[in-house]
Each structure stands twice: as structure tokens, then as C-alpha cells.
Amino acid sequence: MRRKTPAEKLRTEKTLMILLSALACVGAVFLVSLVFSGIASVIDLSDGAFLLMADAALCAGCFAAGFTAAKRRGRHGMKTGFLCGVIIFLAVLLGGIIFVRSFSAGGLFTKLLIILICSSIGGIFGVNSPRRFR
């Protein structure tokens, strides 16, 4: 069995970081959506409230992804969170194009801001949080 070169180790670490942050994003969106669906089943809500809940779930997922990636990397939190946000935005954009088959420029810009701000804040918190396990 041969040893990995430093470039292979770096590639493996980056791939693992992306996968873990994507998993954290999906998990956070799922949990927040689960809570919001429980609330919506009890209370009669307007369409605007549902859009607000969807944006809040997206914020939670982006924060979790930025936090996880920056905590794993250990440095450059805002940059790491921002890059996670770009990847998440591209995934949301691609999913919207495939499933909805349309998008509005205003909604696109708003989602971009929400995703980039929340994931950057998550990256900042991830780098500055104390390390307990590694």
C-alpha cells in the first residue's frame, strides 16, 4: 500500500470538508423544516409566513454549513463560509432551474444575499468556537 502525497491528502481533506458541510446544511434545513411543519399543522398561516419559514430554514442550513466547514478547516472562517455559500447558492440555483423551471431576478438576488451572509457568519463563528474534539 502506498502513502498519499501531500496533494492527495489536501484533496481528500477538502472533499471531506465539502461533504460534511453539505450534510450539515441538509440536516439543519431538515430539522428546521420539521419544526416549522409542526407549527404550520397547528396554526393557520399565510403564504408570506411560509416563505419566511423557508428563508429561515435556508439561513439555518447555510449557517450550519459555514460553521462546519470553518471549524473543520480551522482558519479563514469568513472566506471558508463564503465559499460554502457560493456552492450552496449554485446548488439552489440549479435545483430551482431543474424543478421549478423559472426564477425571478429579485428572488435570485435575495437568496444570494441570504445564503452568503448566513454562511459567512457561520464561518466566523466556526473558526472562533473552541475546539473540543479533533
Side-chain angles (χ1 to χ4, degrees):
M1 180 180 278
R2 70 179 185 91
R3 292 180 187 244
K4 288 186 177 182
T5 64
E8 289 174 334
K9 286 181 183 178
L10 183 64
R11 191 175 329 125
T12 304
E13 181 64 30
K14 284 184 179 182
T15 305
L16 187 61
M17 180 183 70
I18 290 170
L19 288 175
L20 287 176
S21 64
L23 185 63
C25 179
V26 170
V29 168
F30 177 75
L31 289 175
V32 172
S33 295
L34 191 67
V35 169
F36 285 158
S37 66
I39 292 170
S41 68
V42 174
I43 302 171
D44 186 31
L45 297 172
S46 67
D47 290 341
F50 282 116
L51 292 175
L52 187 64
M53 287 180 179
D55 287 340
L58 183 63
C59 283
C62 291
F63 181 87
F67 184 89
T68 303
K71 184 131 178 117
R72 180 131 183 107
R73 186 166 183 209
R75 61 182 192 275
H76 304 293
M78 190 169 190
K79 179 182 167 187
T80 303
F82 187 83
L83 289 174
C84 275
V86 169
I87 292 170
I88 292 169
F89 176 73
L90 292 175
V92 167
L93 179 67
L94 184 66
I97 289 172
I98 291 172
F99 295 115
V100 181
R101 298 189 190 265
S102 68
F103 57 89
S104 66
L108 187 73
F109 185 70
T110 304
K111 293 265 190 262
L112 177 66
L113 281 177
I114 288 172
I115 290 170
L116 292 180
I117 289 171
C118 290
S119 60
S120 295
I121 291 172
I124 292 169
F125 275 84
V127 164
N128 293 319
S129 67
R131 289 186 179 254
R132 289 188 172 75
F133 306 105
R134 177 77 179 174

